[in-house]
Amino acid sequence: MKLTVSRWLVVISLLFASALTTAARTRPRYGGTLHVETRTDPLKSPDGIARKLLFDTLTQVSANGELLPALAVSWESQSANHRWQFRLRSGVHFHDGSPLTAEAAVQSLSASCKHCAWHVRAVGDSVIFTGDAPMPELPAEMARSAYAIARQDDNGNPDGTGPFRFVANSNGILFLSANDDSWQGRPFVDTVEIYGNRTVREQWLDFSVGKADLVEVPPELLRQAQQDRMPLAVAARPSDLLAISVSPEQIADEHLRESIALALDRTALFNVIFQKQGEVTASLLPNALSGYAFLFPSPANLSRSRELRGTQSIPMHLSVDSSSAVLQLVAERLALNLRDAGWNVRVASQAANPNAELALQLVHMEAAEATSALGETLEDFGARARDEGSDPATLYRSEHSFLQSHTVIPLLYLPRAYGVNVRVQNLVLAPDGTPLLANVSLEDAK
Amino acid sequence: MSLRQRLLLVFSLTVVLSVAAVAWIVSLRTRQAFAEANQKHTVALVDQFRRDFDEQAEDVAARVDHVAGSDRLVRIAFDLTQTGGDPSPYLSEAAVLAGDHQLDFLEIISADGSIVSSAQWPARFGYREDLHSIGNQPTLKREELPDGSSEIGLFALRTVRGAEPKLYVLGGKRLDRGFLANLSAPADTQVLLYPVLTSTFNPHALISTVGELPQAAQYKSLVESARSSGQEVRSTIYVTDRREDSVDATAMPLKAPDGSVLAVLVVANSRRGLVELQQHIRAIGYGVAGVSILLAIAASLWITSRISHPIEQLAAAATEVAAGNWDTQVEISSSDEVGALARSFNHMTQQLSEQRERLVQSERVAAWRELARRLAHELKNPLFPLQLTVENLIKARNLSPAEFDEIFRESTGTLTAEIANLKNVIARFSDFSKMPKPQLQQVNMVEVLRKVATLYEPVLARHHPPIDFDVQLDIEARTVSADPDLLHRALSNLVLNAMDAMPNGGTLTMELGSRGDSIEIRVSDTGSGMTPEECDRLFTPYYTTKQHGTGLGLAIVQSVVSDHHGTIRVESKPGHGSTFVVDLPSLAARVASA
């Protein structure tokens, strides 16, 4: 009997110890260096991967799409959304130690605003926005990286209030260190090293040998990465819009623009080039945001396209970012589609042909909400919503009226994905696919 | 042109033409021989290139074969079967395989002809490729590219082993500089490729192993000829103005399965060696010809001198003889015809000398005879009366003293007159024998003739019948270097002779004029004239046509004229009078000749 109890006690002790160990293993650890690689400049505005680490916005969007306070603790609108007041969080400091003030915030917002519909000013610890038109989605808009509160220190280095501070940027490596005084709390990792301008091949090579913790997985390689059983983090919804913009100045006839739109075969792009990653679209907003994307027809109609083209055969250029091989491939495929419809199209480099008749563009949609997402997308294409309102019908009308002109021809929505090293814990992607690295910890940190 | 120069010219021309003809013929034949050899070399090169090209084609076929048999492609074929034909994962396979097997073009094509993956145009997936025109043998094909351009390539089609449904691999290599570089070419041979991409000749499209050709336009006619005819064409291309840069070019059309010419391969064999050799031969020919000509000229000079020298000697000797040196002899330096001629010449001059001696002797004898005759005649005349007178005196001894005194007086008168006559004759002979040397001084001939005219005008006027005296003096002063007394004496003799030639009256004309550098004095009569034989002997001493006289007058005139370096001649015809023409050098001519 005593022997049996002793055995039970031993077993229980062992089980308890095991539980403790497991708990200890899953608890985030402080320390370590996170190695991130990216194809672009990590500091590039507006959506460089380092910006969310260095800077904060007035508001932020949670992983499940909820709008939360950030540098602004509260906000309220007046005059039917013509005026907004954002009250700033107290006790927040820039990395150089200076306090965050409304004036500093206003200065940053003014610099960020290129074609904004609002005016901004500081009043006490508040930032006041006023506009001639109602701005119902302003708080969601203020969550975009474009409106991060950012400045430069005396040495010209980026200075913000984010969880990481700038240390150095040399030989293509951006060094960030944890901000111990971050209003969000000190991040778990000590440093972040971001290797910019790395090709996917280089990133994957480093990832395979454990030199990189986070690498990009382009949509055209996502299927292969899945087949290769790469640890992945994939955004919940596609957030990169692949579209063709048509110059209305150079192709003034709307029927010709429609002919161009009808010649394009999205299915081949989706099925072959992007291997069924993302979604075919003929609308500006993805169906996950708008819910009405299916109302925009997408199939190609070659005969109708030829009919609308008539005898027109002006030589055209389709410009594309020649540094991206997949975009180059997409552009060549689209050029083939257009040639099948009788158009005389040549693919050209965007840098050499900034005023081409057609341009293949990949625009990122950061907003998590339909109204602000539409506004953001229209703004990316140099337009504004014609109808004011955030209900689906209004949004649909705005989108439809814009797309009727065929100056923008949406093609595909593409997801963002990353290869994530197994030692990286708690990595969460924002709704737009941006990795939220502030809360990441490393399993093997000591 | 002298004999020597003519001979020299003839010899030189003969040698030059001969050497030139030989050099030209040799050069021509040599050039032809080398050109033929060059042509054969070119043909052999072209055949070699044809074999190399076929080898390259076989190499492409082997590579494509290797791709088709690769495990990777077999796996793809299997996966396609498993996945129901979803080709999307293999979009970039062709590019990878092409790189692995060093092919410029590679397409993976499904059984229905749709492109699964294309290395050269990745975006063409799903489009159909026409495989019917491509057989098992490597073929040429024009391939369109994404940038709108097109290229010519050598393609081979293979089926992936074991694939069901079939999966095809169409691979090829671009016909470009790299392709040309794989064709082994000797150092002096250039391989060019012209892909037929436009309807008109584009010089920039003609490429060589070093890229674009700066003188591509020179190949235009050759390429277009091969392209239009579809046959091999040969031609010599002059790439630049220099012959050394010319090439023997052969254009070979490269055709697609349907017979259309897709490219033209040009094999250009440099003619530099041949041209330089020809130039070398030509230079040697010129050199040999030049040396030969110089040698010929030297030989000609020697030969002509050997030939012409004796002749020149003969000519000089003949000139000497003509000048009066009849005893001139030439050296006999050979035994040939020239030697015989020299011997003959020497013999001739010897005979001339002897004959002259004999002539002189005979003339001297004749002159002596004439002198003796004239002397006998002149002396006989006064001697006969002398003899008669003396005989009369002898006979008168027998007469009375008074008759004897009368006859004595008559006889002594006759004896005195005839003795004076004898003395006169002797004096004249004595004068001729001791003609004085002229005392030269500047003499105005007008004055001399005026003096003569003044002296004899009254004499001529008193002549019965009278003789007219016509004096025509060129009033311009004529100055000679002469002895005025001797000239006066000579002119006096001429006037007296003219007067003696007109016993029945007439006109005596005395003229003074000039002819070039000479002073001409003409004394003319209108007498009976003389025969040519008389004219020839006129100046011989003691020759006279007159009944009286010593015959020394004209001899004296000739002697005086000769002492004054002049000449005298007579112009006479029977019945037309005579004119004595005296030419004396003017003072200026005398000074110049001095």
Side-chain angles (χ1 to χ4, degrees), chain A residues 187-212:
Chain A
F188 290 105
V189 298
D190 290 335
T191 53
V192 178
E193 291 177 1
I194 306 177
Y195 293 72
N197 300 311
R198 300 279 287 175
T199 64
V200 172
R201 180 184 160 84
E202 290 168 336
Q203 293 181 44
W204 285 28
L205 195 60
D206 289 344
F207 187 81
S208 66
V209 297
K211 283 174 64 177

PDB file of all heavy atoms in Angstrom, chain A residues 187-212:
ATOM      1  N   PRO A 187       9.202  45.477 -26.206  1.00  0.00           N
ATOM      2  CA  PRO A 187       9.034  44.259 -27.020  1.00  0.00           C
ATOM      3  C   PRO A 187       9.900  43.139 -26.472  1.00  0.00           C
ATOM      4  O   PRO A 187      10.843  43.369 -25.728  1.00  0.00           O
ATOM      5  CB  PRO A 187       9.501  44.695 -28.419  1.00  0.00           C
ATOM      6  CG  PRO A 187      10.313  45.918 -28.207  1.00  0.00           C
ATOM      7  CD  PRO A 187       9.861  46.558 -26.944  1.00  0.00           C
ATOM      8  N   PHE A 188       9.577  41.926 -26.863  1.00  0.00           N
ATOM      9  CA  PHE A 188      10.282  40.771 -26.328  1.00  0.00           C
ATOM     10  C   PHE A 188      11.689  40.671 -26.894  1.00  0.00           C
ATOM     11  O   PHE A 188      12.636  40.385 -26.159  1.00  0.00           O
ATOM     12  CB  PHE A 188       9.505  39.485 -26.625  1.00  0.00           C
ATOM     13  CG  PHE A 188       8.222  39.386 -25.835  1.00  0.00           C
ATOM     14  CD1 PHE A 188       6.987  39.603 -26.421  1.00  0.00           C
ATOM     15  CD2 PHE A 188       8.272  39.075 -24.480  1.00  0.00           C
ATOM     16  CE1 PHE A 188       5.823  39.508 -25.676  1.00  0.00           C
ATOM     17  CE2 PHE A 188       7.107  38.987 -23.739  1.00  0.00           C
ATOM     18  CZ  PHE A 188       5.883  39.218 -24.336  1.00  0.00           C
ATOM     19  N   VAL A 189      11.825  40.880 -28.210  1.00  0.00           N
ATOM     20  CA  VAL A 189      13.166  40.714 -28.773  1.00  0.00           C
ATOM     21  C   VAL A 189      13.983  41.967 -28.486  1.00  0.00           C
ATOM     22  O   VAL A 189      13.447  43.073 -28.371  1.00  0.00           O
ATOM     23  CB  VAL A 189      13.129  40.434 -30.294  1.00  0.00           C
ATOM     24  CG1 VAL A 189      12.394  39.123 -30.557  1.00  0.00           C
ATOM     25  CG2 VAL A 189      12.483  41.569 -31.039  1.00  0.00           C
ATOM     26  N   ASP A 190      15.289  41.760 -28.378  1.00  0.00           N
ATOM     27  CA  ASP A 190      16.175  42.891 -28.084  1.00  0.00           C
ATOM     28  C   ASP A 190      16.448  43.719 -29.328  1.00  0.00           C
ATOM     29  O   ASP A 190      16.484  44.943 -29.291  1.00  0.00           O
ATOM     30  CB  ASP A 190      17.499  42.373 -27.522  1.00  0.00           C
ATOM     31  CG  ASP A 190      17.317  41.811 -26.122  1.00  0.00           C
ATOM     32  OD1 ASP A 190      16.357  42.230 -25.440  1.00  0.00           O
ATOM     33  OD2 ASP A 190      18.141  40.962 -25.716  1.00  0.00           O
ATOM     34  N   THR A 191      16.718  43.038 -30.412  1.00  0.00           N
ATOM     35  CA  THR A 191      17.071  43.753 -31.638  1.00  0.00           C
ATOM     36  C   THR A 191      16.377  43.098 -32.829  1.00  0.00           C
ATOM     37  O   THR A 191      16.029  41.908 -32.780  1.00  0.00           O
ATOM     38  CB  THR A 191      18.595  43.728 -31.889  1.00  0.00           C
ATOM     39  OG1 THR A 191      19.047  42.376 -31.844  1.00  0.00           O
ATOM     40  CG2 THR A 191      19.335  44.561 -30.870  1.00  0.00           C
ATOM     41  N   VAL A 192      16.229  43.914 -33.789  1.00  0.00           N
ATOM     42  CA  VAL A 192      15.710  43.443 -35.067  1.00  0.00           C
ATOM     43  C   VAL A 192      16.701  43.869 -36.144  1.00  0.00           C
ATOM     44  O   VAL A 192      17.092  45.040 -36.211  1.00  0.00           O
ATOM     45  CB  VAL A 192      14.314  44.027 -35.385  1.00  0.00           C
ATOM     46  CG1 VAL A 192      13.849  43.548 -36.758  1.00  0.00           C
ATOM     47  CG2 VAL A 192      13.309  43.636 -34.306  1.00  0.00           C
ATOM     48  N   GLU A 193      17.110  42.882 -36.932  1.00  0.00           N
ATOM     49  CA  GLU A 193      17.966  43.200 -38.085  1.00  0.00           C
ATOM     50  C   GLU A 193      17.144  42.942 -39.344  1.00  0.00           C
ATOM     51  O   GLU A 193      16.659  41.820 -39.537  1.00  0.00           O
ATOM     52  CB  GLU A 193      19.213  42.318 -38.080  1.00  0.00           C
ATOM     53  CG  GLU A 193      20.168  42.661 -36.940  1.00  0.00           C
ATOM     54  CD  GLU A 193      21.364  41.720 -36.907  1.00  0.00           C
ATOM     55  OE1 GLU A 193      21.454  40.823 -37.771  1.00  0.00           O
ATOM     56  OE2 GLU A 193      22.212  41.898 -36.007  1.00  0.00           O
ATOM     57  N   ILE A 194      17.007  43.983 -40.124  1.00  0.00           N
ATOM     58  CA  ILE A 194      16.212  43.858 -41.361  1.00  0.00           C
ATOM     59  C   ILE A 194      17.146  44.007 -42.554  1.00  0.00           C
ATOM     60  O   ILE A 194      17.788  45.035 -42.735  1.00  0.00           O
ATOM     61  CB  ILE A 194      15.104  44.927 -41.415  1.00  0.00           C
ATOM     62  CG1 ILE A 194      14.247  44.869 -40.137  1.00  0.00           C
ATOM     63  CG2 ILE A 194      14.238  44.709 -42.658  1.00  0.00           C
ATOM     64  CD1 ILE A 194      13.176  45.920 -40.062  1.00  0.00           C
ATOM     65  N   TYR A 195      17.196  42.934 -43.355  1.00  0.00           N
ATOM     66  CA  TYR A 195      18.031  42.936 -44.565  1.00  0.00           C
ATOM     67  C   TYR A 195      17.121  43.325 -45.728  1.00  0.00           C
ATOM     68  O   TYR A 195      16.217  42.567 -46.089  1.00  0.00           O
ATOM     69  CB  TYR A 195      18.629  41.544 -44.799  1.00  0.00           C
ATOM     70  CG  TYR A 195      19.627  41.126 -43.744  1.00  0.00           C
ATOM     71  CD1 TYR A 195      19.204  40.790 -42.450  1.00  0.00           C
ATOM     72  CD2 TYR A 195      20.984  41.061 -44.020  1.00  0.00           C
ATOM     73  CE1 TYR A 195      20.118  40.429 -41.474  1.00  0.00           C
ATOM     74  CE2 TYR A 195      21.903  40.689 -43.065  1.00  0.00           C
ATOM     75  CZ  TYR A 195      21.469  40.373 -41.783  1.00  0.00           C
ATOM     76  OH  TYR A 195      22.371  40.007 -40.818  1.00  0.00           O
ATOM     77  N   GLY A 196      17.371  44.483 -46.262  1.00  0.00           N
ATOM     78  CA  GLY A 196      16.519  44.962 -47.347  1.00  0.00           C
ATOM     79  C   GLY A 196      17.102  44.622 -48.710  1.00  0.00           C
ATOM     80  O   GLY A 196      18.262  44.214 -48.847  1.00  0.00           O
ATOM     81  N   ASN A 197      16.259  44.757 -49.744  1.00  0.00           N
ATOM     82  CA  ASN A 197      16.677  44.561 -51.143  1.00  0.00           C
ATOM     83  C   ASN A 197      17.286  43.186 -51.371  1.00  0.00           C
ATOM     84  O   ASN A 197      18.268  43.026 -52.102  1.00  0.00           O
ATOM     85  CB  ASN A 197      17.661  45.652 -51.556  1.00  0.00           C
ATOM     86  CG  ASN A 197      17.052  47.036 -51.450  1.00  0.00           C
ATOM     87  OD1 ASN A 197      15.950  47.287 -51.938  1.00  0.00           O
ATOM     88  ND2 ASN A 197      17.743  47.935 -50.764  1.00  0.00           N
ATOM     89  N   ARG A 198      16.704  42.183 -50.734  1.00  0.00           N
ATOM     90  CA  ARG A 198      17.171  40.804 -50.945  1.00  0.00           C
ATOM     91  C   ARG A 198      16.203  40.121 -51.893  1.00  0.00           C
ATOM     92  O   ARG A 198      14.990  40.224 -51.740  1.00  0.00           O
ATOM     93  CB  ARG A 198      17.192  40.059 -49.622  1.00  0.00           C
ATOM     94  CG  ARG A 198      18.108  40.666 -48.576  1.00  0.00           C
ATOM     95  CD  ARG A 198      19.535  40.284 -48.777  1.00  0.00           C
ATOM     96  NE  ARG A 198      19.799  38.893 -48.418  1.00  0.00           N
ATOM     97  CZ  ARG A 198      20.971  38.299 -48.605  1.00  0.00           C
ATOM     98  NH1 ARG A 198      21.957  38.958 -49.186  1.00  0.00           N
ATOM     99  NH2 ARG A 198      21.147  37.052 -48.234  1.00  0.00           N
ATOM    100  N   THR A 199      16.688  39.360 -52.803  1.00  0.00           N
ATOM    101  CA  THR A 199      15.814  38.630 -53.720  1.00  0.00           C
ATOM    102  C   THR A 199      15.156  37.481 -52.955  1.00  0.00           C
ATOM    103  O   THR A 199      15.626  37.055 -51.881  1.00  0.00           O
ATOM    104  CB  THR A 199      16.596  38.055 -54.905  1.00  0.00           C
ATOM    105  OG1 THR A 199      17.536  37.077 -54.399  1.00  0.00           O
ATOM    106  CG2 THR A 199      17.347  39.134 -55.651  1.00  0.00           C
ATOM    107  N   VAL A 200      14.092  36.990 -53.507  1.00  0.00           N
ATOM    108  CA  VAL A 200      13.378  35.878 -52.867  1.00  0.00           C
ATOM    109  C   VAL A 200      14.290  34.675 -52.750  1.00  0.00           C
ATOM    110  O   VAL A 200      14.310  33.965 -51.743  1.00  0.00           O
ATOM    111  CB  VAL A 200      12.109  35.539 -53.675  1.00  0.00           C
ATOM    112  CG1 VAL A 200      11.446  34.266 -53.148  1.00  0.00           C
ATOM    113  CG2 VAL A 200      11.128  36.693 -53.609  1.00  0.00           C
ATOM    114  N   ARG A 201      15.066  34.448 -53.782  1.00  0.00           N
ATOM    115  CA  ARG A 201      15.976  33.293 -53.763  1.00  0.00           C
ATOM    116  C   ARG A 201      16.966  33.413 -52.612  1.00  0.00           C
ATOM    117  O   ARG A 201      17.217  32.452 -51.878  1.00  0.00           O
ATOM    118  CB  ARG A 201      16.705  33.246 -55.104  1.00  0.00           C
ATOM    119  CG  ARG A 201      17.683  32.132 -55.269  1.00  0.00           C
ATOM    120  CD  ARG A 201      18.394  32.296 -56.629  1.00  0.00           C
ATOM    121  NE  ARG A 201      19.633  31.566 -56.678  1.00  0.00           N
ATOM    122  CZ  ARG A 201      19.761  30.274 -56.970  1.00  0.00           C
ATOM    123  NH1 ARG A 201      18.690  29.570 -57.238  1.00  0.00           N
ATOM    124  NH2 ARG A 201      20.936  29.698 -56.990  1.00  0.00           N
ATOM    125  N   GLU A 202      17.510  34.627 -52.445  1.00  0.00           N
ATOM    126  CA  GLU A 202      18.465  34.843 -51.352  1.00  0.00           C
ATOM    127  C   GLU A 202      17.781  34.685 -49.999  1.00  0.00           C
ATOM    128  O   GLU A 202      18.329  34.082 -49.060  1.00  0.00           O
ATOM    129  CB  GLU A 202      19.076  36.246 -51.480  1.00  0.00           C
ATOM    130  CG  GLU A 202      20.015  36.404 -52.651  1.00  0.00           C
ATOM    131  CD  GLU A 202      20.364  37.868 -52.921  1.00  0.00           C
ATOM    132  OE1 GLU A 202      19.579  38.764 -52.537  1.00  0.00           O
ATOM    133  OE2 GLU A 202      21.413  38.101 -53.537  1.00  0.00           O
ATOM    134  N   GLN A 203      16.578  35.212 -49.920  1.00  0.00           N
ATOM    135  CA  GLN A 203      15.850  35.098 -48.652  1.00  0.00           C
ATOM    136  C   GLN A 203      15.608  33.632 -48.300  1.00  0.00           C
ATOM    137  O   GLN A 203      15.812  33.195 -47.160  1.00  0.00           O
ATOM    138  CB  GLN A 203      14.516  35.836 -48.754  1.00  0.00           C
ATOM    139  CG  GLN A 203      14.630  37.347 -48.886  1.00  0.00           C
ATOM    140  CD  GLN A 203      13.265  38.000 -48.960  1.00  0.00           C
ATOM    141  OE1 GLN A 203      12.339  37.660 -48.197  1.00  0.00           O
ATOM    142  NE2 GLN A 203      13.112  38.965 -49.862  1.00  0.00           N
ATOM    143  N   TRP A 204      15.143  32.886 -49.279  1.00  0.00           N
ATOM    144  CA  TRP A 204      14.823  31.467 -49.015  1.00  0.00           C
ATOM    145  C   TRP A 204      16.079  30.677 -48.693  1.00  0.00           C
ATOM    146  O   TRP A 204      16.058  29.735 -47.888  1.00  0.00           O
ATOM    147  CB  TRP A 204      14.102  30.865 -50.218  1.00  0.00           C
ATOM    148  CG  TRP A 204      12.668  31.304 -50.325  1.00  0.00           C
ATOM    149  CD1 TRP A 204      12.128  32.471 -49.872  1.00  0.00           C
ATOM    150  CD2 TRP A 204      11.606  30.581 -50.918  1.00  0.00           C
ATOM    151  NE1 TRP A 204      10.793  32.520 -50.136  1.00  0.00           N
ATOM    152  CE2 TRP A 204      10.431  31.380 -50.794  1.00  0.00           C
ATOM    153  CE3 TRP A 204      11.494  29.345 -51.534  1.00  0.00           C
ATOM    154  CZ2 TRP A 204       9.203  30.966 -51.272  1.00  0.00           C
ATOM    155  CZ3 TRP A 204      10.258  28.936 -52.008  1.00  0.00           C
ATOM    156  CH2 TRP A 204       9.117  29.746 -51.869  1.00  0.00           C
ATOM    157  N   LEU A 205      17.170  31.038 -49.314  1.00  0.00           N
ATOM    158  CA  LEU A 205      18.422  30.339 -49.034  1.00  0.00           C
ATOM    159  C   LEU A 205      18.831  30.579 -47.579  1.00  0.00           C
ATOM    160  O   LEU A 205      19.190  29.648 -46.844  1.00  0.00           O
ATOM    161  CB  LEU A 205      19.503  30.838 -50.000  1.00  0.00           C
ATOM    162  CG  LEU A 205      20.754  29.989 -50.109  1.00  0.00           C
ATOM    163  CD1 LEU A 205      20.401  28.583 -50.595  1.00  0.00           C
ATOM    164  CD2 LEU A 205      21.735  30.637 -51.079  1.00  0.00           C
ATOM    165  N   ASP A 206      18.744  31.871 -47.167  1.00  0.00           N
ATOM    166  CA  ASP A 206      19.078  32.187 -45.777  1.00  0.00           C
ATOM    167  C   ASP A 206      18.099  31.513 -44.831  1.00  0.00           C
ATOM    168  O   ASP A 206      18.479  31.063 -43.738  1.00  0.00           O
ATOM    169  CB  ASP A 206      19.047  33.708 -45.564  1.00  0.00           C
ATOM    170  CG  ASP A 206      20.207  34.399 -46.251  1.00  0.00           C
ATOM    171  OD1 ASP A 206      21.171  33.700 -46.622  1.00  0.00           O
ATOM    172  OD2 ASP A 206      20.158  35.635 -46.414  1.00  0.00           O
ATOM    173  N   PHE A 207      16.851  31.447 -45.240  1.00  0.00           N
ATOM    174  CA  PHE A 207      15.836  30.828 -44.394  1.00  0.00           C
ATOM    175  C   PHE A 207      16.134  29.342 -44.230  1.00  0.00           C
ATOM    176  O   PHE A 207      16.000  28.784 -43.128  1.00  0.00           O
ATOM    177  CB  PHE A 207      14.459  31.032 -45.018  1.00  0.00           C
ATOM    178  CG  PHE A 207      13.319  30.582 -44.183  1.00  0.00           C
ATOM    179  CD1 PHE A 207      12.826  31.392 -43.164  1.00  0.00           C
ATOM    180  CD2 PHE A 207      12.728  29.320 -44.367  1.00  0.00           C
ATOM    181  CE1 PHE A 207      11.775  30.982 -42.369  1.00  0.00           C
ATOM    182  CE2 PHE A 207      11.676  28.908 -43.561  1.00  0.00           C
ATOM    183  CZ  PHE A 207      11.196  29.732 -42.573  1.00  0.00           C
ATOM    184  N   SER A 208      16.562  28.750 -45.318  1.00  0.00           N
ATOM    185  CA  SER A 208      16.785  27.301 -45.258  1.00  0.00           C
ATOM    186  C   SER A 208      17.950  26.937 -44.356  1.00  0.00           C
ATOM    187  O   SER A 208      17.978  25.857 -43.775  1.00  0.00           O
ATOM    188  CB  SER A 208      17.010  26.749 -46.670  1.00  0.00           C
ATOM    189  OG  SER A 208      18.215  27.262 -47.193  1.00  0.00           O
ATOM    190  N   VAL A 209      18.900  27.850 -44.238  1.00  0.00           N
ATOM    191  CA  VAL A 209      20.046  27.550 -43.362  1.00  0.00           C
ATOM    192  C   VAL A 209      19.901  28.213 -42.008  1.00  0.00           C
ATOM    193  O   VAL A 209      20.848  28.220 -41.217  1.00  0.00           O
ATOM    194  CB  VAL A 209      21.367  27.980 -44.035  1.00  0.00           C
ATOM    195  CG1 VAL A 209      21.591  27.195 -45.298  1.00  0.00           C
ATOM    196  CG2 VAL A 209      21.403  29.462 -44.295  1.00  0.00           C
ATOM    197  N   GLY A 210      18.740  28.784 -41.755  1.00  0.00           N
ATOM    198  CA  GLY A 210      18.476  29.325 -40.437  1.00  0.00           C
ATOM    199  C   GLY A 210      19.021  30.711 -40.190  1.00  0.00           C
ATOM    200  O   GLY A 210      18.992  31.206 -39.068  1.00  0.00           O
ATOM    201  N   LYS A 211      19.492  31.381 -41.259  1.00  0.00           N
ATOM    202  CA  LYS A 211      20.030  32.722 -41.045  1.00  0.00           C
ATOM    203  C   LYS A 211      18.923  33.768 -41.005  1.00  0.00           C
ATOM    204  O   LYS A 211      19.135  34.887 -40.547  1.00  0.00           O
ATOM    205  CB  LYS A 211      21.011  33.053 -42.169  1.00  0.00           C
ATOM    206  CG  LYS A 211      22.364  32.376 -42.017  1.00  0.00           C
ATOM    207  CD  LYS A 211      23.247  32.615 -43.205  1.00  0.00           C
ATOM    208  CE  LYS A 211      23.591  34.074 -43.361  1.00  0.00           C
ATOM    209  NZ  LYS A 211      24.527  34.294 -44.493  1.00  0.00           N
ATOM    210  N   ALA A 212      17.764  33.453 -41.519  1.00  0.00           N
ATOM    211  CA  ALA A 212      16.665  34.410 -41.547  1.00  0.00           C
ATOM    212  C   ALA A 212      15.501  33.817 -40.772  1.00  0.00           C
ATOM    213  O   ALA A 212      15.214  32.609 -40.864  1.00  0.00           O
ATOM    214  CB  ALA A 212      16.252  34.709 -42.979  1.00  0.00           C
TER     215      ALA A 212
END
